[in-house]
Amino acid sequence: QKEVEQNSGPLSVPEGAIASLNCTYSDRGSQSFFWYRQYSGKSPELIMFIYSNGDKEDGRFTAQLNKASQYVSLLIRDSQPSDSATYLCAVSPRTSYGKLTFGQGTILTVHP
Amino acid sequence: DAGVTQSPTHLIKTRGQQVTLRCSPKSGHDTVSWYQQALGQGPQFIFQYYEEEERQRGNFPDRFSGHQFPNYSSELNVNALLLGDSALYLCASSTPRRGRDTQYFGPGTRLTVL
């Protein structure tokens, strides 16, 4: 079992729709959870972090964390073509403070 | 406020050579982490430096080594390059506090080994 797994892509949504990106992790003791956006040929850009169970909203982005189910998700409302990118889920395990373990990424395409 | 910077942007080497990559952290950050990202994959943790010492290391061979300077900047050295070392090398900086380590990435160095 991979330490961090993301829903297989690519994911294609129409402009204005809600994009839902999912991630599961294996280490039940994980403390911190991050979503990065990576445009083709660029480096990852931090867009959300979440530490506690529940929802965290920032503009059009909502991160959701359920530690009991070992599940974290990212919702993008009113998706725009500029949201088209690879989205990386990252987890900081309790036993390896500071190390981020990434999923393989989900490619999102928002079409006009 | 300058973000994380890395140099060089691109690098082409041949097998067996050695390479040094450089990173300057974001202003106010004291911790530097290095990652390797192969095409189509998520970044893989190489190691993290704090107070000029390697604090954590991922599953990479000893050919990968690093250093952190008193001004918090860092270098990644890779010896005896292999074709499989071709990747995007990412530096991330942070200031871990109270168990939280939010890392911000630099633009990366694209290494090609021929």
Side-chain angles (χ1 to χ4, degrees):
Chain A
Q1 182 187 7
K2 291 183 180 178
E3 293 180 80
V4 178
E5 289 200 67
Q6 297 185 234
N7 52 326
S8 59
L11 178 64
S12 181
V13 301
E15 185 174 356
I18 296 175
S20 177
L21 303 160
N22 304 316
C23 174
T24 58
Y25 58 94
S26 61
D27 183 356
R28 186 169 290 277
S30 297
Q31 298 275 19
S32 308
F33 307 86
F34 305 88
W35 284 100
Y36 288 84
R37 177 176 63 198
Q38 187 172 27
Y39 292 114
S40 181
K42 301 296 185 181
S43 64
E45 172 192 9
L46 180 67
I47 54 172
M48 290 286 287
F49 59 86
I50 186 166
Y51 304 138
S52 304
N53 277 330
D55 295 0
K56 179 181 179 182
E57 187 174 318
D58 183 1
R60 297 186 296 111
F61 298 98
T62 299
Q64 299 175 316
L65 175 61
N66 184 326
K67 288 187 177 181
S69 300
Q70 296 174 240
Y71 175 91
V72 59
S73 66
L74 179 70
L75 300 178
I76 306 175
R77 291 182 301 280
D78 188 23
S79 295
Q80 301 297 311
S82 59
D83 294 326
S84 298
T86 297
Y87 288 80
L88 295 162
C89 171
V91 175
S92 181
R94 178 183 54 187
T95 56
S96 298
Y97 177 82
K99 167 189 172 182
L100 292 182
T101 300
F102 285 83
Q104 76 278 19
T106 299
I107 298 172
L108 171 66
T109 301
V110 181
H111 52 86
Chain B
D1 180 23
V4 182
T5 61
Q6 291 186 245
S7 64
T9 305
H10 295 89
L11 206 51
I12 298 175
K13 293 287 189 178
T14 57
R15 281 178 297 175
Q17 285 190 311
Q18 178 264 344
V19 68
T20 297
L21 311 181
R22 296 175 176 81
C23 171
S24 290
K26 184 179 169 65
S27 178
H29 286 183
D30 57 13
T31 300
V32 172
S33 304
W34 287 92
Y35 293 82
Q36 179 195 68
Q37 187 177 26
L39 202 60
Q41 302 295 317
Q44 297 290 314
F45 176 78
I46 302 175
F47 41 53
Q48 184 180 79
Y49 276 85
Y50 172 69
E51 292 189 340
E52 301 180 50
E53 291 191 359
E54 182 183 291
R55 180 161 65 179
Q56 290 182 356
R57 189 179 183 90
N59 189 26
F60 278 80
D62 291 345
R63 298 187 297 110
F64 290 77
S65 63
H67 189 77
Q68 186 179 34
F69 299 94
N71 67 352
Y72 308 122
S73 67
S74 177
E75 288 181 349
L76 164 65
N77 300 293
V78 186
N79 294 322
L81 285 167
L82 303 174
L83 294 179
D85 294 331
S86 295
L88 179 66
Y89 287 85
L90 296 162
C91 165
S93 77
S94 59
T95 302
R97 292 292 183 268
R98 299 192 299 275
R100 309 302 187 195
D101 188 7
T102 303
Q103 299 182 17
Y104 298 85
F105 285 91
T109 294
R110 174 74 61 185
L111 172 65
T112 302
V113 182
L114 301 177

